[in-house]
């Protein structure tokens, strides 16, 4: 969990530094413009007079409104409005705090996921290939090339239609047929479009659940897996088959299904083998 805590701390530190940098620039800009400096001093003087009881609330409010309007007009005339206005956080949902109503904001989730990839967490998915990487000429027979072309077209449609119709997708095939490559291409293209995406091997999901099941801290990897825009469960069926792991997989898939969030599954198991390996709740 260290890398997640570090990512959260880094997110908050970056947000604080952005705001501090803006305030420094604002202060320097006002000092360098005598007309703005004079109006700004007048604004502080009005506030001080109100605190000392020399002005009523109504009087102070009226004078402040006039002074602030004058400040804005002068800043616009000087061409420095963007430098001396109110600080605007990068995220309009959480105000760069990372949380909305006690839940982790999408911006913090995206930051953590990006940080995990950049630091080598799930390093096999750190670099996402583009659609051109799926070369149908690599398949040996005309029939397999034709099938690969159909799969490639489906992959491109999935990417293009994700915003309006985020659907679940199962990619089934023998080892080496290109399932994981297709999933990684989809991940990469959606990340470029600003979506939060996670790609985890099925066995890693079991490991992470086991590590976090008694952790009460919000924002763990499994919470992100349950709530990211797209989750890829890679190589379903390679995890050790027990009642415990089956329940974990069902919990994850069902949570995303109930929240209307799409999941992509890649697996070597045929539908018949999937039915034999998992109970009806997971298979359905």
């Amino acid at each position: 969990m260290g890398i997640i805590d570090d990512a959260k701390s880094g997110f908050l530190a970056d947000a604080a530094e952005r705001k501090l940098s803006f305030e420094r620039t604002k202060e320097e800009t006002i000092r360098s413009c005598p007309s703005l400096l004079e109006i700004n001093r007048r604004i502080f003087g009005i506030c001080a007079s109100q605190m000392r009881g020399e002005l009523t609330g109504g009087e102070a409010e009226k004078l402040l409104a006039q002074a602030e309007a004058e400040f804005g007009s002068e800043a616009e005339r000087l061409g420095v409005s963007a430098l001396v206005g109110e600080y605007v956080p990068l995220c309009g949902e959480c105000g760069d705090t990372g949380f909305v109503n006690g839940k982790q904001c999408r911006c913090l989730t995206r930051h953590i996921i990006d940080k995990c990839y950049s630091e080598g967490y799930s390093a096999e998915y750190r670099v996402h290939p583009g659609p051109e990487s799926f070369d149908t000429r690599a398949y040996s027979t005309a029939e397999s090339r034709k099938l690969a072309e159909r799969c490639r077209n489906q992959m491109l449609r999935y990417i293009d239609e994700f915003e309006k119709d985020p659907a679940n997708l199962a990619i089934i095939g023998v080892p080496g047929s290109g399932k994981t490559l297709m999933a990684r291409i989809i991940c990469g293209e959606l990340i470029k479009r600003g979506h939060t995406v996670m790609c985890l091997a099925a066995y890693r999901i079991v490991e992470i659940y086991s590590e976090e099941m008694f952790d009460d801290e919000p924002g763990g990897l499994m919470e992100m897996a349950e709530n990211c825009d797209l989750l890829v469960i890679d190589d379903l069926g390679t995890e050790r088959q027990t009642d415990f792991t089956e329940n974990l997989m069902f919990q994850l898939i069902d949570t995303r299904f109930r929240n209307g969030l799409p999941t992509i599954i890649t697996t070597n198991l045929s539908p018949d083998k999937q039915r034999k390996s998992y109970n009806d709740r997971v298979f359905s």
Side-chain angles (χ1 to χ4, degrees):
M1 290 295 291
I3 191 171
I4 296 179
D5 293 336
D6 290 345
K8 288 181 180 178
S9 298
F11 174 89
L12 295 175
D14 290 346
E17 179 56 34
R18 281 195 303 272
K19 187 171 183 180
L20 182 59
S21 177
F22 176 86
E23 295 299 337
R24 288 189 188 125
T25 301
K26 180 177 180 177
E27 184 177 346
E28 291 169 1
T29 303
I30 292 174
R31 284 179 178 175
S32 67
C33 301
S35 56
L36 289 180
L37 184 59
E38 188 279 325
I39 300 171
N40 197 54
R41 285 173 174 167
R42 199 185 332 147
I43 289 173
F44 278 108
I46 295 169
C47 293
S49 295
Q50 183 183 16
M51 293 179 63
R52 290 193 298 266
E54 297 170 0
L55 292 172
T56 65
E59 291 172 330
E61 189 175 318
K62 183 178 179 180
L63 291 173
L64 279 173
Q66 292 173 346
E68 288 170 354
E70 186 179 344
F71 184 93
S73 297
E74 182 64 8
E76 187 173 349
R77 185 185 72 80
L78 295 171
V80 296
S81 296
L83 299 178
V84 298
E86 293 298 319
Y87 175 71
V88 179
L90 290 181
C91 180
E93 294 184 38
C94 71
D96 291 351
T97 64
F99 291 87
V100 180
N101 297 325
K103 291 191 65 175
Q104 187 166 291
C105 185
R106 288 164 49 89
C107 66
L108 177 53
T109 296
R110 185 179 295 112
H111 175 85
I112 293 173
I113 292 173
D114 291 345
K115 184 68 174 177
C116 287
Y117 284 139
S118 67
E119 294 294 333
Y121 205 106
S122 299
E124 64 270 31
Y125 303 114
R126 191 189 313 167
V127 178
H128 295 281
E132 69 282 355
S133 302
F134 194 85
D135 189 353
T136 58
R137 294 172 298 179
Y139 294 84
S140 57
T141 67
E143 183 179 357
S144 62
R145 286 192 292 273
K146 185 177 180 180
L147 176 59
E149 186 64 34
R150 285 174 54 196
C151 291
R152 185 178 187 276
N153 292 337
Q154 175 63 37
M155 174 186 69
L156 295 176
R157 280 198 300 272
Y158 186 91
I159 294 167
D160 289 340
E161 297 175 2
F162 185 82
E163 274 86 3
K164 61 182 179 182
D165 184 25
N168 297 316
L169 181 65
I171 306 176
I172 304 171
V174 298
S177 58
K179 303 182 301 298
T180 298
L181 176 59
M182 287 180 62
R184 290 174 62 192
I185 291 172
I186 292 171
C187 286
E189 294 303 299
L190 294 182
I191 287 172
K192 291 176 186 176
R193 300 183 188 191
H195 293 286
T196 55
V197 177
M198 291 189 73
C199 187
L200 294 169
Y203 77 88
R204 270 300 289 150
I205 291 174
V206 176
E207 290 178 352
I208 294 167
Y209 254 122
S210 300
E211 293 166 3
E212 297 184 359
M213 60 189 304
F214 299 113
D215 192 348
D216 294 329
E217 285 293 318
L221 278 175
M222 286 322 303
E223 181 181 326
M224 289 189 285
E226 291 174 350
N227 295 288
C228 60
D229 294 338
L230 174 67
L231 173 67
V232 175
I233 302 176
D234 196 25
D235 271 339
L236 183 71
T238 57
E239 74 280 9
R240 184 181 178 187
Q241 299 294 311
T242 67
D243 290 342
F244 174 72
T245 59
E246 193 167 316
N247 287 332
L248 291 183
M249 206 61 68
F250 172 76
Q251 178 181 332
L252 175 58
I253 295 172
D254 185 60
T255 296
R256 293 186 58 81
F257 177 77
R258 286 187 285 105
N259 290 335
L261 296 169
T263 304
I264 292 178
I265 292 174
T266 76
T267 181
N268 301 329
L269 301 178
S270 66
D272 286 341
K273 288 184 178 179
Q274 291 177 45
R275 187 182 291 276
K276 292 177 182 177
S277 299
Y278 299 96
N279 63 36
D280 288 340
R281 294 191 310 167
V282 177
F283 179 75
S284 67

